[in-house]
């Protein structure tokens, strides 16, 4: 392992965004050794990484980021140079049902990881980096106008965003207090392949396939700013390599959509792809009780990332949505497995004997 230029712990690598980040780093940087550390909660799925699992520069370790002993043992074993931290509880609706699970993983887990990294790295911070992946939801909710910039004060309003905001503050506090080399990014809503089907876009796609009701919260007028997941992974790559220590970067593609407009767009794309009469799927739309405290609008200003590091999104939303729909139509088994818990069998089969 000493042959590798860097040993990187990627937490949450079996999840939606994490799996795209792991793949990108394992494929593009054969000189790096990537250790994917994931507890495999309901949202983590090793099937996301089937194509990468036999790479010689990749390895999976099942561990809970809150487990100080387990994570310390991994640091002892691998002597990491960097952490890219994505592991989190990530669903707003679940945070409303069970906020303490979010405090545990997102706040305690992040603080514990920071503490361990500090312990191992404090003799010399040279060439070390703790990269924390966060969300635009920490900034709160916008009215009809304006954008979140890196200077926007934090104003989290759901248990999820409060827990992420808290984790961001711990990351910055470890930098200011102890000098830990950190970088942080706050991204808008992601979409693409391997997205767990309880979030808006994959849920609607799955329900349209099975001709089930399409539950739109409130009037469907809430606005989100959507980014192709591979463009997020590309931004993380650039920030990891060229971001300034101690700084934060907003990631987004100036791509605002009302929820109801996305649902209609998906309905028309899928009527066409499934050879259904135009208008068939839209009949499934049902307006349901709104989410408590539902943030009205998110919109990111990514100018800093664009001007300082040259990142920009690669894909238009309509094209990305078509690709996403195609992926779900071609991977119905993936959806069945993540919703049935079958992927746990896959895990036992693959790792049970090791
Ligand atoms: P996800 O829910 O799909 O994946 C989270 C992963 O973390 C899963 O593999 C899960 O098993 C793992 N995990 C959860 N708790 C853990 C624990 N205690 N220990 C170890 N692993 C654990 O989430 P995602 O959508 O891929 O989001 C990844 C990160 O990006 C999160 O930090 C999230 O806040 C952030 N983010 C997400 C979005 C988005 O639109 N999804 C946007 C901006 C930022
Ligand atoms: P979601 O994918 O949960 O992401 P977030 O809450 O982090 O933005 O939801 C995106 C938007 O879609 C949000 O405004 C809530 C709305 N929504 C629905 O209208 N119906 C649904 O079934 C879901 C899951 C979300």
């Amino acid at each position: 392992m000493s042959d590798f230029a860097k040993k990187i712990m990627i937490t949450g690598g079996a999840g939606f965004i994490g799996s795209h980040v792991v793949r990108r780093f394992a494929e593009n940087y054969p000189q790096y050794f990537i250790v994917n550390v994931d507890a495999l909660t309901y949202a983590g799925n090793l099937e996301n990484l089937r194509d990468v699992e036999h790479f010689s520069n990749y390895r999976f370790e099942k561990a809970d980021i809150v487990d100080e002993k387990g994570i310390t043992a991994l640091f002892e074993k691998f002597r990491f140079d960097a952490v890219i931290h994505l592991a989190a509880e990530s669903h707003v609706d679940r945070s409303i049902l069970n906020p303490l699970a979010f405090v545990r993983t997102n706040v305690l887990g992040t603080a514990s990881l920071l503490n361990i990294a500090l312990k191992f790295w404090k003799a010399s911070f040279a060439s070390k980096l703790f990269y924390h992946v966060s969300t635009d939801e920490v900034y709160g909710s916008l009215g009809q106008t304006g954008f979140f910039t890196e200077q926007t004060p934090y104003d989290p309003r759901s248990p999820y965003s409060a827990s992420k905001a808290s984790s961001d503050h711990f990351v910055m506090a470890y930098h200011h207090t102890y000098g830990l080399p950190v970088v942080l990014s706050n991204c808008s809503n992601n979409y693409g392949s391997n997205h767990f089907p309880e979030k808006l876009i994959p849920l609607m796609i799955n329900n349209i396939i099975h001709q089930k009701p399409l539950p739109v919260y409130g009037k469907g007028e809430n606005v989100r700013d959507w980014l192709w997941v591979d463009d997020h992974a590309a931004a993380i790559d650039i920030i990891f390599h060229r971001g300034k220590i101690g700084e934060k970067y907003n990631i987004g593609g100036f791509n605002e959509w009302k929820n109801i407009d996305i649902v209609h767009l998906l309905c028309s794309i899928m009527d066409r792809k499934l050879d259904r009469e135009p208008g068939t799927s839209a009949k499934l739309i049902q307006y349901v009780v709104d989410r408590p405290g539902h943030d009205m609008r998110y919109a990111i200003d990514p100018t800093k990332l664009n001007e300082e590091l040259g990142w920009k999104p690669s894909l238009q939303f309509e094209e990305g949505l078509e690709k996403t729909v195609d992926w779900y139509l071609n991977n119905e088994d993936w959806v069945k497995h993540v919703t049935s818990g079958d992927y746990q069998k896959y895990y036992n089969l693959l790792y049970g004997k090791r």
Side-chain angles (χ1 to χ4, degrees):
M1 236 178 320
S2 52
D3 297 344
F4 289 96
K6 272 186 199 300
K7 281 151 279 167
I8 306 173
M9 170 191 275
I10 300 186
T11 71
F16 167 46
I17 301 169
S19 59
H20 289 268
V21 174
V22 165
R23 178 175 300 99
R24 185 180 180 94
F25 274 72
E27 280 180 352
N28 292 359
Y29 301 104
Q31 71 274 32
Y32 295 169
F33 191 74
I34 307 299
V35 182
N36 169 13
V37 175
D38 197 297
L40 298 184
T41 68
Y42 74 95
N45 180 359
L46 287 175
E47 277 190 57
N48 294 347
L49 290 164
R50 262 184 204 277
D51 53 329
V52 175
E53 68 195 14
H54 299 302
F55 282 27
S56 55
N57 67 334
Y58 168 76
R59 165 170 193 135
F60 173 70
E61 292 281 347
K62 184 170 191 241
D64 185 331
I65 55 164
V66 182
D67 172 14
E68 197 186 333
K69 267 197 189 156
I71 299 294
T72 300
L74 291 176
F75 264 79
E76 264 158 11
K77 184 167 166 189
F78 295 105
R79 299 276 150 186
F80 297 112
D81 303 289
V83 174
I84 305 179
H85 176 37
L86 295 107
E89 288 289 342
S90 70
H91 190 194
V92 175
D93 292 322
R94 283 185 187 248
S95 82
I96 295 168
L97 295 173
N98 185 7
L100 294 189
F102 285 66
V103 176
R104 182 186 178 279
T105 290
N106 299 359
V107 185
L108 258 179
T110 302
S112 179
L113 264 183
L114 288 162
N115 226 26
I116 294 166
L118 178 64
K119 197 167 95 189
F120 277 82
W121 295 347
K122 68 181 169 201
S124 166
F125 288 137
S127 308
K128 304 288 191 286
L129 184 65
F130 191 105
Y131 183 154
H132 181 58
V133 175
S134 193
T135 166
D136 60 355
E137 304 192 24
V138 298
Y139 297 121
S141 180
L142 292 164
Q144 298 296 315
T145 57
F147 293 92
F148 299 133
T149 71
E150 287 80 2
Q151 282 72 46
T152 303
Y154 278 26
D155 181 24
R157 297 150 52 98
S158 74
Y160 165 63
S161 53
S163 68
K164 290 297 291 188
S166 172
S167 67
D168 290 12
H169 288 317
F170 271 103
V171 170
M172 286 310 192
Y174 268 68
H175 176 64
H176 290 295
T177 309
Y178 307 110
L180 190 75
V182 306
V183 72
L184 196 154
S185 57
N186 298 85
C187 189
S188 59
N189 285 59
N190 285 212
Y191 72 98
S193 61
N194 307 94
H195 202 180
F196 197 78
E198 67 184 8
K199 305 275 178 87
L200 179 76
I201 289 179
L203 183 142
M204 295 298 167
I205 293 174
N206 195 33
N207 286 12
I208 292 171
I209 293 174
H210 298 288
Q211 296 186 278
K212 282 166 55 181
L214 309 178
V216 174
Y217 298 166
K219 294 182 180 152
E221 285 179 351
N222 303 65
V223 172
R224 298 292 182 264
D225 184 357
W226 294 91
L227 186 71
W228 176 242
V229 63
D230 286 322
D231 284 332
H232 187 186
I236 289 173
D237 185 344
I238 291 172
I239 295 167
F240 178 81
H241 287 100
R242 294 195 281 118
K244 281 199 200 122
I245 301 287
E247 298 228 351
K248 70 204 296 284
Y249 296 86
N250 281 354
I251 310 173
F254 288 121
N255 181 44
E256 293 180 51
W257 284 77
K258 281 185 186 169
N259 294 336
I260 188 64
D261 294 340
I262 293 186
V263 176
H264 276 294
L265 183 55
L266 281 172
C267 287
S268 67
I269 291 174
M270 293 188 67
D271 282 346
R272 171 163 48 79
K273 290 195 187 280
L274 294 168
D275 279 331
R276 292 179 185 161
E277 277 292 303
T280 307
S281 301
K283 289 192 190 122
L284 299 167
I285 292 173
Q286 282 187 5
Y287 291 93
V288 298
V289 166
D290 209 353
R291 172 187 282 171
H294 196 172
D295 286 344
M296 191 58 209
R297 175 172 165 257
Y298 304 143
I300 275 274
D301 179 351
T303 305
K304 175 178 175 182
L305 179 58
N306 174 252
E307 289 184 352
E308 290 185 14
L309 303 182
W311 173 89
K312 59 178 186 331
S314 68
L315 213 59
Q316 289 299 310
F317 189 57
E318 286 83 348
E319 191 189 346
L321 219 47
E322 293 255 355
K323 282 185 173 212
T324 305
V325 168
D326 286 340
W327 189 86
Y328 280 91
L329 290 175
N330 292 326
N331 290 278
E332 281 200 68
D333 278 353
W334 181 92
V335 178
K336 272 192 209 133
H337 293 173
V338 295
T339 47
S340 71
D342 270 7
Y343 65 89
Q344 286 293 352
K345 286 188 204 148
Y346 171 77
Y347 170 79
N348 290 337
L349 194 70
L350 191 63
Y351 291 99
K353 296 189 198 96
R354 290 187 182 175

